[in-house]
Amino acid sequence: MTNLDKYNKIFIKTFSVSKLKLKKLKYESVPQWDSVGHMSMVGELEDAFKISLDMDDIIDFSSYEKGKKILKKYK
């Protein structure tokens, strides 16, 4: 499984969306992506990629696309 596959799987599972909706997905664009859902997603990402996101990155993680850019910093 590629890193993108892992990333997509986390978003699909956490926010109950289809793969087709991922590119346009933004914070609070679906009911599941509220503050609680956001932190659940962060935890899943940290576990899957064995990283610890900085608080600034957690706050700045406002969309699916933005998240991909943020995670590149942790490679």
Side-chain angles (χ1 to χ4, degrees), residues 5-61:
D5 289 336
K6 285 186 209 176
Y7 184 70
N8 289 345
K9 186 177 178 181
I10 290 167
F11 268 78
I12 291 166
K13 178 184 156 205
T14 304
F15 302 125
S16 302
V17 295
S18 70
K19 188 174 182 178
L20 297 173
K21 293 186 177 186
L22 291 178
K23 288 193 177 205
K24 293 185 180 181
L25 195 63
K26 296 181 178 180
Y27 181 68
E28 295 187 334
S29 64
V30 293
Q32 296 87 343
W33 197 350
D34 57 7
S35 59
V36 174
H38 187 77
M39 293 312 296
S40 293
M41 177 216 35
V42 166
E44 292 285 336
L45 290 170
E46 289 179 333
D47 288 347
F49 294 104
K50 296 178 179 27
I51 59 172
S52 182
L53 292 168
D54 292 334
M55 186 56 67
D56 289 341
D57 288 331
I58 293 171
I59 293 166
D60 200 30
F61 204 120

